Amino acid sequence: MVKSYQRFEQSSVFGVVSSGSNSIWIPAENKRTNGPGQIITGALENVSIWDIKTGELVSYLSDGLPPGAIDARTIKPAEVTYMQYYNDTNLLAVGYADGVIKIWDMISKTVLLSFNGHRSAITQLLFDFTGTRLISGSRDSDIIVWDLVSEVGLYKLRSHKDSITGLRLLDENWLMSVSKDGLIKLWDLKIQQCVETHIAHPGECWALGVDQDVVVTTSSDSQIKIWHLNLDADAGVKVTEKGIFEKQSKQRGVAVNFVTVSDGTKFFYVQNADKTVEIVRLRKEEEISRALKKREKRFKEKGMTDEEIQQNFKESYTSIVMHSFQVLRSAFKIRATAWAVTTSSKLELVITTSGNTIEYYSIPYEKREPKQPTPVRVHAIELQGHRTDIRAIDISDDGKLLATASNGLLKIWNIRTRTCLRTFDCGYALTCKFLPGDVLVVVGTRGGQLQLFDLASSTILENNEEAHDAAIWSLDITSDGRRLITGSADKTVKFWNLIVEEKEVHGTTAILLPTMSLYHDTTLEMNDDILCVKISPENKFLAVSLLDNTVKVFYLETMKFFLSLYGHKLPVLSIDISFDSKLIITSSADKNIKIWGLDFGDCHKSLFAHQDSIMSVKFLPESHNFFSCSKDATVKYWDGDKFETIQKLAGHQSEVWALAVAKSGTCVISVSHDSSIRIWEETDDQVFLEEEREREIEEQNEEGLLTSLEEGSGDSAFKQDEQGEDRDDAVDVHKQTVESLKAGERLMEAIDLGIPEIEAWEKYDKELQLWKRKRHGTEPEKPQDNAILLAINKKPEEYIMDTLVRIKPSQLEDALLTLPFSYVLKFLKFLDTVLQDQKLLHNNLSLICKNLFFIVQSNHRELVSQKNAELKQRITRVKNELRAALKNNEDDLGFNIEGLKFVKQQWNLRHNYEFVDEFDQRNQAEKTAKKRVFETLS
């Protein structure tokens, strides 16, 4: 019998306040909230919506199967890279690192559309003014215009040579773009061509901001370039350079955004690639004219000519039209910035930082200057995540609490609700552990401190600063909870007794309370730094891993040496011992896991387990199965008896530092460099090893097939590279995906099933007519209906049409491209048959036209070269019948429009009454009446 295992899949992910994408501000006017509003942030592969005032997670957008599920892919999910919100329709466009764009409905929190046309991460998204088109830019240097109504890509603009860093729509037909290739381009979307190209900066161009006729671009240094935009000017001079503005920060500006306040004053911010955002104010027209007059008067007094004065004005253009308003500085590197509430007396901005926080700043100002030297931080969301990498993790005995420790913070979480219950300040934590009773947590730090925290009173009970002379890399507690063992880089293993003592309450003299304390008992000195310590479940053995790549096993009570485990090429980073003390597993920086027998120290198996250092291994309780996590961003589930991988859990985006297994064995929690805490829970589904391996091989084959389809192979790929320099500005949007290939396969299967049926009935009809004319021989027999068509009670053409209808519009053209020419001929036969069925034709006329036009366009040469007379007749017949159907459709549409106009007119006549105030009407007549004037004619 084939052995099966219980499947683990991701049940939840938390701890991420914001990740690397931009952020979007939703004002309170749109949401019935008391605070200023809400902010939408990327949370790795998901999207979070936070209330800035309460700091609560309002809602959470997650799409697709959770990692680890039966049909989920074994590669990590794509991270959110860019978002854009369209207020009128409540649509949120989200771009991902794999080039996919998803359109979310913010009311129902569901994905309406999904587009896949880019080859790499989305860097820019932009809705047009009507919200019916979406423009996307990517790292693959392409710009694609998508139609949200027909759900297809309209065209792809390919003129840039590097990642797109800025897109702005000037009006319905004009688009401006900048790229890391240093160019600024102006596109005419009517003709789908680039009409102007300028060298924006000598190096890379990182951001673009446009407000009416003012254009701002940023470079990789401290310079901002100001441009003037005039779409009515001649081609070549629509965009003209005006001057350069020096930022205070020497780092590149990565985002520029304008805002106009209620009194008409304009501001824009430049977000830098450091901890600052610089706000710049544009001066008003009257302010500029007054300043120019004063300056001109002063220059004339100095004796300067008009030409010299105009030249001076031209050179100092940027200092005349704008001035630096204020600089916002954060404690962390800024990832994204957005304007929040802006009035004539205050500017408010919301930023997300690399410290996994959201900060809300206010800049009160009057007239032209801010009231305070620095912006005021009004709100902050930081409780629901760590500022730095989580390096240690532990689950309480009852499985309800989770402790996570990082550099400076220890947080206690409720696993079920995923909320942060307690936050403590600590040192640079490297290891932490719940003490029995789940009320106390002990933390070992890089500075050699041993800290004891009480969750009930939210206090630190003890802070032993001299516990070790160097970093405490690992600690463990005996199963009875009475002794604590710490291993440090100072080459010692120390034993601590946990004792309850009566201690005075601070600030009093007579009140005594029982308090837990740590007392140093014994020290075991080693020859090298200690990286990990582990006590066996029955408290018999102590395993210690050293920097010399070995693991030494001692008797816990007597400290006598028992075994030494040699074999790893690099230091062992983690150790675990099975529940029955028969197996010990070690994971190392050499990417290997070794499984040893604890009886004799023999190596049962060495597994090349991960692609990078393996940070932690943990046995499941009452089992020889174990989990491992690595810097390659994966968590793996292993069978320790058969030495096979059961599951590969790819959910994290970057290095996984630690994992913990609940005492029940049904829950595993992992933490990563991406700030996320992921809970993997056991499900009722089964895992069969052969099926898992087959699925992984299928995924690899699909990836290889898609790569070869996109890039070509051999000579074709080489020719593509050669032609890459002089490529067209606009091309069709096509990209083969697994979904489009499967859609093409489904269509071919439907054609294979339906066309023989159609041909059989055509043959029967011909033979029957011939028999009726001649009336000799036996009457031809009716063909046997296909069992599948008989079961679903459909004609073959209806079956093929249903298959076509089920293909997503965004995948339809790519699916038709996969059809071989023999199937194209069969498809034309199917269309010929459909045109005979008036009901089917009327219901699917637009789809039939779309498919036919694309098939003829993509197979034009092959169809023209065919010598088949029957095929030519069929194409002519299809053309005539389709034209007649379209003409009828057009007539019906015109008739319906006129009918609706007539119904509207009748309704207005019967139901709408116009009331006119006679007094107002008389006054209006008197105002507009002309007085009679008598003139004398001579």
Side-chain angles (χ1 to χ4, degrees), residues 224-443:
I224 303 173
K225 194 169 278 190
I226 313 300
W227 307 75
H228 182 265
L229 175 67
N230 183 10
L231 294 176
D232 298 327
D234 296 333
V237 290
K238 293 180 186 292
V239 182
T240 51
E241 184 182 335
K242 283 294 185 179
I244 291 171
F245 185 79
E246 286 287 337
K247 295 193 284 104
Q248 293 184 24
S249 170
K250 301 300 178 188
Q251 293 291 324
R252 65 177 181 270
V254 294
V256 177
N257 210 343
F258 281 85
V259 71
T260 305
V261 298
S262 54
D263 64 356
T265 310
K266 294 176 182 177
F267 296 87
F268 69 87
Y269 67 72
V270 180
Q271 177 198 327
N272 298 313
D274 53 15
K275 300 177 182 180
T276 63
V277 176
E278 297 185 28
I279 295 106
V280 179
R281 177 179 172 275
L282 295 176
R283 293 188 173 95
K284 293 182 180 179
E285 288 293 331
E286 58 270 19
E287 196 179 331
I288 293 172
S289 61
R290 280 201 308 270
L292 287 177
K293 283 176 183 176
K294 284 181 182 178
R295 194 175 287 191
E296 187 177 0
K297 186 179 178 184
R298 195 166 63 248
F299 286 159
K300 283 185 175 177
E301 288 173 357
K302 289 182 179 178
M304 291 175 68
T305 63
D306 289 344
E307 289 80 8
E308 289 173 336
I309 291 171
Q310 290 303 320
Q311 183 64 28
N312 184 282
F313 287 169
K314 192 175 180 181
E315 288 172 358
S316 58
Y317 174 82
T318 53
S319 63
I320 293 169
V321 299
M322 64 183 68
H323 69 99
S324 185
F325 188 70
Q326 197 162 44
V327 179
L328 184 155
R329 287 184 172 82
S330 173
F332 303 99
K333 188 178 175 183
I334 296 171
R335 279 180 170 160
T337 311
W339 287 112
V341 180
T342 53
T343 67
S344 56
S345 60
K346 68 175 179 180
L347 299 175
E348 293 185 345
L349 296 98
V350 61
I351 65 169
T352 61
T353 71
S354 60
N356 197 25
T357 63
I358 299 169
E359 297 173 358
Y360 189 88
Y361 287 90
S362 178
I363 306 172
Y365 70 98
E366 55 185 354
K367 294 182 179 177
R368 303 171 198 170
E369 297 299 329
K371 291 181 181 179
Q372 296 175 346
T374 57
V376 182
R377 195 172 88 160
V378 184
H379 305 290
I381 301 174
E382 51 192 9
L383 185 66
Q384 297 298 324
H386 282 269
R387 307 288 77 76
T388 52
D389 283 7
I390 304 170
R391 299 307 297 261
I393 179 175
D394 194 36
I395 302 174
S396 62
D397 290 342
D398 59 7
K400 293 180 180 178
L401 298 178
L402 172 72
T404 56
S406 65
N407 179 9
L409 289 179
L410 167 70
K411 284 183 177 284
I412 310 298
W413 306 81
N414 183 320
I415 292 178
R416 189 176 59 82
T417 62
R418 304 186 296 281
T419 53
C420 181
L421 304 176
R422 298 278 189 278
T423 300
F424 300 95
D425 290 330
C426 65
Y428 193 135
L430 297 176
T431 178
C432 71
K433 202 88 173 172
F434 273 102
L435 297 185
D438 301 335
V439 181
L440 303 175
V441 176
V442 62
V443 173

Side-chain angles (χ1 to χ4, degrees), residues 1 23 27 79 168 338 389 405 435 462 476 543 655 666 703:
M1 185 176 174
S23 59
E79 190 175 353
R168 288 294 183 274
D389 283 7
L435 297 185
E462 189 168 339
D476 202 5
E655 298 98 324
T666 59
E703 288 296 321

